[in-house]
Amino acid sequence: MLGIVDRYVLREVTKVFLAIVLTLALIVASMLLLRTFEEVNVGALSVTLVFRFLGYQLVRDASSLLPPAFFLAALVTLSRLARDSELIAMHACGLGPSRTYRALLLLAVPVAALTAWFALVLQPWAATGIQDIRMQQKEQAAQIAGLQPGRFYVEEEGDVVVYIGAIDRHRSLGDVFLLDRRGGTNRMVVSEGGVHRLEEVSGDHLVTLTSGYRFDGNPGEAAFMIGDFDAYEIRIRAKERAARARGKRSTVPTSELRVATDLADRVEFEHRLGAPLAIFTLAVLAIPLVAVSPRQSSTGRLALAFLAYFSFFNFQRLAEGWLEDGVTPLWLTSQWYQLLILAVVYLALLPDSLWARRVFGRWRRAPR
């Protein structure tokens, strides 16, 4: 059962953590929204997909926001407790650093679980959605930009042939001829005009014709059906859309990466694992970086905290690159940087620790 001090530390860290997460999310959302509007401005993204595209991006980046937010929350909360002499009071009551470690690690468990859910499950799903939208937009842009009057367009391996006689400035089609050989029966359609659009969900091309005639039948056979119409729609299936949507490694589900033998897949899998593991590493790292007494100089520890923070994520990219290039052995994995940062910080703070001062004091008092 949690004690009063544990609940107090957990409550204070949680409040700061939620505030930092909300602030970072608003900042990232603002930056992503500006970039999204730039893509809309240049025509690379439809206006109707802005918020859907932005939502996918926020879900994709959530796992990379939680570890630094937790680290900053622990530093800010512990620094405030030290400034108000609450840490000294806790130590005077026999509640040493181990109690602080326990409280932080208790909070780190659910935060790491949430980060793992974002990194292992939602991140590839969001990356797939982002690439899916981009693929749709590229197909639509290529289809619309490539339409020229007086040309034949062949789709579905020659089963569908479309001829467009005219295109106005609103991209409406005029004098359209369509031959559809799918289903064993030839269908020929002529129309005065029509429009083309790309279905967002399926990625299929939809051609809607107006005021025309349809002729059904095969050459050499007497059975023909002739009819007129006011509106006629034909669907052209997307080509291997699902396969192309998984072109990037970031879109591959974690369950597939876990059993993959390719080295690049292993690096991607360990990259996703690095986010939840970083929660525990940064929790252990934050406590010694805070000066317990307000009389102690916190400038050096603050500088070391910023150095450790930036080195942590820079070393992550370096370790993943080295593993993918074969510089480091497979047994070392790409998570060695976390242990390295921990060791460097604790060694840097070792001379200022209570244990080191006791050992040095005994050595000075020893008879010679």
Side-chain angles (χ1 to χ4, degrees):
M1 186 175 180
L2 296 179
I4 297 177
V5 175
D6 296 324
R7 293 197 300 270
Y8 175 68
V9 174
L10 284 174
R11 184 175 64 252
E12 294 300 313
V13 177
T14 302
K15 289 192 299 185
V16 178
F17 172 69
L18 293 177
I20 293 177
V21 168
L22 180 60
T23 303
L24 291 178
L26 291 176
I27 294 174
V28 173
S30 301
M31 296 174 60
L32 292 176
L33 187 61
L34 290 176
R35 294 179 183 177
T36 303
F37 283 154
E38 290 179 1
E39 295 193 32
V40 173
N41 188 42
V42 299
L45 185 66
S46 173
V47 178
T48 59
L49 298 176
V50 168
F51 292 103
R52 179 182 167 192
F53 186 71
L54 180 63
Y56 279 138
Q57 289 181 310
L58 287 175
V59 172
R60 180 198 60 187
D61 297 338
S63 60
S64 61
L65 293 179
L66 294 178
F70 185 79
F71 181 62
L72 292 176
L75 284 179
V76 170
T77 303
L78 294 178
S79 298
R80 201 271 301 169
L81 294 179
R83 186 182 66 250
D84 296 342
S85 301
E86 294 184 52
L87 287 182
I88 294 181
M90 290 169 57
H91 290 179
C93 296
L95 305 177
S98 59
R99 196 65 175 267
T100 310
Y101 277 111
R102 189 179 77 170
L104 273 186
L105 291 178
L106 285 175
L107 179 60
V109 171
V111 174
L114 179 64
T115 306
W117 182 54
F118 274 106
L120 302 180
V121 180
L122 295 185
Q123 180 178 324
W125 170 78
T128 302
I130 291 173
Q131 188 174 355
D132 207 23
I133 291 176
R134 291 195 181 279
M135 190 64 67
Q136 290 181 20
Q137 296 301 299
K138 288 181 180 179
E139 289 179 356
Q140 186 176 21
Q143 181 74 14
I144 295 177
L147 290 179
Q148 298 293 334
R151 292 184 57 183
F152 285 91
Y153 295 89
V154 181
E155 301 289 342
E156 299 202 11
E157 300 180 355
D159 289 338
V160 179
V161 180
V162 181
Y163 172 83
I164 301 172
I167 303 176
D168 63 14
R169 62 187 182 90
H170 299 293
R171 313 308 293 177
S172 297
L173 312 179
D175 297 330
V176 180
F177 166 84
L178 186 146
L179 176 62
D180 187 356
R181 299 191 182 98
R182 297 174 298 180
T185 302
N186 291 342
R187 290 179 294 275
M188 185 177 66
V189 179
V190 291
S191 171
E192 296 180 358
V195 293
H196 164 269
R197 67 183 179 89
L198 190 69
E199 193 175 58
E200 297 178 359
V201 177
S202 65
D204 296 344
H205 299 273
L206 299 179
V207 178
T208 303
L209 305 179
T210 57
S211 302
Y213 297 90
R214 170 176 167 177
F215 306 88
D216 290 10
N218 296 323
E221 298 180 1
F224 267 83
M225 184 183 71
I226 303 176
D228 58 352
F229 57 83
D230 293 328
Y232 181 85
E233 184 177 84
I234 182 172
R235 177 183 295 269
I236 303 175
R237 300 291 180 183
K239 300 177 182 178
E240 301 177 358
R241 180 170 172 268
R244 286 183 283 114
R246 295 186 179 275
K248 290 185 178 181
R249 186 164 282 105
S250 59
T251 63
V252 179
T254 305
S255 58
E256 297 180 14
L257 291 178
R258 185 173 56 85
V259 297
T261 57
D262 186 70
L263 184 58
D265 290 336
R266 175 171 177 174
V267 172
E268 176 65 24
F269 177 66
E270 293 187 3
H271 172 74
R272 298 180 188 179
L273 282 179
L277 292 178
I279 297 293
F280 296 103
T281 304
L282 294 174
V284 176
L285 195 64
I287 296 176
L289 290 173
V290 176
V292 175
S293 173
R295 296 182 179 181
Q296 292 178 331
S297 176
S298 60
T299 304
R301 292 175 183 261
L302 184 62
L304 185 60
F306 278 103
L307 181 62
Y309 171 78
F310 289 110
S311 300
F312 190 91
F313 297 100
N314 287 329
F315 268 106
Q316 179 184 18
R317 291 189 290 268
L318 182 65
E320 292 171 357
W322 280 358
L323 181 62
E324 188 172 3
D325 295 338
V327 177
T328 55
L330 293 177
W331 60 265
L332 190 60
T333 72
S334 62
Q335 305 299 326
W336 54 266
Y337 68 93
Q338 301 197 27
L339 297 177
L340 177 64
I341 297 296
L342 276 176
V344 170
V345 170
Y346 273 83
L347 287 176
L349 296 175
L350 183 61
D352 196 34
S353 64
L354 179 60
W355 176 83
R357 289 199 298 268
R358 287 178 178 176
V359 171
F360 184 70
R362 290 175 184 175
W363 177 78
R364 292 183 60 182
R365 292 192 300 268
R368 300 183 182 179

